Amino acid sequence: MAAVPFSIVITTYNRLDLLKRAIQSAFDQTTPSEVVVVDNASTDGTQAYVESLGDAVVYVRNRTNANHAGAVNAGVKAASGDWIKLVDDDDYLAANCIEVMKGAIAHRPQAVICSCQAAQVDTEGTELSLTPKTGPGDIFYIPQADIHYGMLLEVVPFGTPIQVAVRREAFLASGGWDLSMTSCDDIDSWIRVAEHGDALFINQCLAYRTVWPGGYDQKIALQQRLSTNMLMKERIYPRVDAKHQPKLPKLETINQYLH
C-alpha cells in the first residue's frame, strides 16, 4: 500500500524551551514527516528560533493570539499531509509514533481518526501513569456507526491532542475546531470528525503528555469542567447511530450521573 503522508502540527505560545523539545521529537521520527509550527504571537524568541530552522519547518505566525483552537485550524490549513498529527508545545512524540500510525492506517484505510496510548510525565520526563488500552490486541478499530455510542458511555476515549491523529479531509469537512470553546475543544472536534469514518486505537505508548502547573487544563474550574462535559454529551447524543438509540439513557440521567 502507498505510504500515508503525515504533517506534524505543533501549536505554541511563549513556551520556547518546551517547544524545542516538541520540535526535536518531530525531527527524530523514524519516518520523515512535514513539520508545521503555529505560533500564537509569542514574545519570547519563538519566532527567531523557528525561523532559524529554515526549510525544516513550515512556520505560521498568527498576528494575535488565536487561542488553541485558532492555532490548530491555522496549522491544519497550512499542512500538506493527508493526516495531521497534533502536538501541543508542552508534549512530545515517541520516535516511532508516525511510523506505527502509518502502519495501522494502512490496515484500516476507512479510518479518519487514530488514537494511541500516552504516558503522563512530569517536567523531568519521569513517567507518572499510562493511559488505558482500548479494546483487544495491538490495534483495535471501531466502525463509524459505533463511535458516538461508545463516546457517550465513555468507553471510546480518544484522549488529548498528543494521542490523536486525524485525516485532514475529515477535519476540514467537520468544520475544524470551534473557536468559541476554551476547553474540550479537542473532544468537540473528535465528535464531529468521527461522523466521517472509522476510528483506530493503537495500544502502544507513542506520545508523552506533560503534567505540570503551567498546563492549560490545570486552570479550569470544577464547575466549568462539569458544564463543558455535559455540553459534550449533548453534542454526542443526537449523533448516536439509530441502532443504538433504544439503549440510550436519557440526557437528564446522564446529567445527574455527571453531577
Side-chain angles (χ1 to χ4, degrees):
M1 298 182 182
V4 180
F6 258 77
S7 294
I8 300 172
V9 173
I10 305 171
T11 56
T12 190
Y13 176 65
N14 281 346
R15 290 174 170 176
L16 179 55
D17 289 342
L18 292 168
L19 173 64
K20 290 179 179 179
R21 181 182 64 179
I23 292 175
Q24 190 59 52
S25 78
F27 288 164
D28 289 344
Q29 291 302 299
T30 54
T31 179
S33 298
E34 177 183 59
V35 180
V36 179
V37 176
V38 185
D39 177 5
N40 254 338
S42 295
T43 57
D44 65 346
T46 291
Q47 181 173 6
Y49 173 74
V50 179
E51 288 180 342
S52 74
L53 300 175
D55 294 338
V57 301
V58 176
Y59 179 53
V60 179
R61 180 175 171 85
N62 291 328
R63 294 180 63 183
T64 59
N65 191 327
N67 294 325
H68 194 203
V72 169
N73 289 344
V76 175
K77 181 179 179 181
S80 62
D82 291 342
W83 277 78
I84 307 295
K85 180 67 200 79
L86 298 168
V87 179
D88 292 339
D89 54 11
D90 54 348
D91 301 330
Y92 55 102
L93 303 173
N96 62 338
C97 178
I98 302 302
E99 180 181 359
V100 174
M101 285 190 163
K102 281 186 174 183
I105 292 164
H107 288 290
R108 194 70 185 176
Q110 305 95 317
V112 295
I113 183 167
C114 178
S115 183
C116 67
Q117 287 185 283
Q120 313 258 14
V121 297
D122 63 18
T123 53
E124 302 300 320
T126 302
E127 184 174 324
L128 304 173
S129 61
L130 185 67
T131 57
K133 292 184 176 183
T134 299
D138 296 331
I139 301 171
F140 180 71
Y141 86 88
I142 300 176
Q144 194 281 324
D146 298 329
I147 297 173
H148 293 102
Y149 182 58
M151 292 185 78
L152 188 74
L153 299 184
E154 298 189 5
V155 294
V156 178
F158 290 111
T160 60
I162 194 60
Q163 295 172 249
V164 175
V166 293
R167 188 181 294 276
R168 184 174 185 270
E169 183 180 21
F171 179 95
L172 296 174
S174 73
W177 281 29
D178 186 341
L179 300 179
S180 70
M181 300 195 69
T182 56
S183 66
C184 289
D185 42 10
D186 49 356
I187 298 172
D188 174 69
S189 177
W190 314 153
I191 293 168
R192 290 179 284 108
V193 167
E195 293 184 284
H196 299 277
D198 297 347
L200 278 171
F201 288 86
I202 301 172
N203 288 319
Q204 183 177 342
C205 179
L206 301 175
Y208 299 89
R209 180 171 179 261
T210 305
V211 178
W212 65 300
Y216 296 129
D217 61 325
Q218 303 297 314
K219 305 173 184 177
I220 303 171
L222 183 61
Q223 185 59 46
Q224 183 182 347
R225 289 177 185 271
L226 174 61
S227 298
T228 307
N229 201 334
M230 191 59 211
L231 175 62
M232 293 301 98
K233 300 297 186 187
E234 292 169 356
R235 292 185 176 183
I236 294 168
Y237 203 86
R239 291 177 164 92
V240 174
D241 190 83
K243 70 178 184 179
H244 295 298
Q245 290 284 345
K247 298 176 284 186
L248 291 185
K250 294 181 179 180
L251 272 175
E252 292 82 357
T253 304
I254 295 172
N255 196 352
Q256 290 172 359
Y257 170 76
L258 289 178
H259 273 85

